[in-house]
Amino acid sequence: MHRNRVAAMLAIAAVAGALVTGGCVSAATKPPAAATASARAAAATGGTANIMIYAVNTDGAYWHAVMSGVIGDYGPAVSIYPDGQVDPAHNSELDLRLTHGSFRLSIAALDKKFVKAAAHEPVYPRTCTDLITVTGTTPIVAGSGTGAYLGVRGSFPVTLTLNEVEAKPCQPSPGAFRAQLITVAGSGAIWF
């Protein structure tokens, strides 16, 4: 009976050893889960990107951009013409100069909607304040990507919002405000 127990224990040990050895071989031939996840993330070519561009107390060409989702980045944004010159009227393109590269958004159609909506300023004459919101799509300018965004394509459906307190007397004109916040925010599908 003692021999049967020893034989059974040896058989169990042999099976356990085979499983452990097989597991080691199997583990050695498979990359760790973290490496697999990293490889998948590196191979990702697109997805949802969330964008917020904002300017505080300025009608100027210089803004700030923050992105999350498939792009996690931030940096200045500058209103420019296609030739790269600064566009103080904001009616052409917006160059996102992020920390890992850059790309441009076409903002011409969005600007036209905004100019039309702003033609009725002040929105609240008694308090000499404005709240203007327009929506539109800002496509990525083809071929504009650099760095990590080389080859980027897609678009961002966005909402542009202006909230401001104008200077008195209440006559809207560029720069004639006491406080102002302009935001452009939305989410879009992009590929690169």
Side-chain angles (χ1 to χ4, degrees):
M1 193 149 141
H2 187 328
R3 282 187 189 176
N4 288 342
R5 244 192 252 174
V6 172
M9 290 175 107
L10 287 174
I12 290 171
V15 170
L19 288 174
V20 168
T21 304
C24 288
V25 170
S26 176
T29 60
K30 292 182 184 178
T36 303
S38 289
R40 274 188 294 228
T45 58
T48 299
N50 311 296
I51 190 167
M52 180 166 280
I53 302 164
Y54 63 95
V56 179
N57 293 331
T58 181
D59 284 330
Y62 297 91
W63 303 56
H64 303 278
V66 178
M67 297 192 68
S68 61
V70 72
I71 291 178
D73 210 344
Y74 62 94
V78 182
S79 179
I80 62 170
Y81 296 112
D83 67 3
Q85 296 297 311
V86 172
D87 170 18
H90 317 292
N91 60 12
S92 187
E93 297 177 357
L94 195 61
D95 189 18
L96 305 181
R97 299 173 180 176
L98 307 173
T99 60
H100 300 296
S102 66
F103 60 92
R104 296 180 183 188
L105 299 175
S106 176
I107 59 170
L110 187 65
D111 177 69
K112 284 181 184 180
K113 288 182 177 184
F114 181 77
V115 168
K116 184 177 178 179
H120 307 291
E121 288 184 87
V123 175
Y124 303 101
R126 190 177 70 70
T127 59
C128 200
T129 59
D130 294 310
L131 178 64
I132 301 169
T133 300
V134 296
T135 59
T137 298
T138 55
I140 295 172
V141 175
S144 67
T146 68
Y149 312 117
L150 191 63
V152 68
R153 59 195 188 286
S155 63
F156 295 91
V158 295
T159 299
L160 183 154
T161 302
L162 163 77
N163 197 358
E164 76 179 354
V165 176
E166 293 182 12
K168 292 188 179 184
C170 198
Q171 299 293 322
S173 63
F177 53 82
R178 296 284 181 233
Q180 178 191 72
L181 177 65
I182 304 171
T183 61
V184 178
S187 299
I190 65 164
W191 299 267
F192 56 98

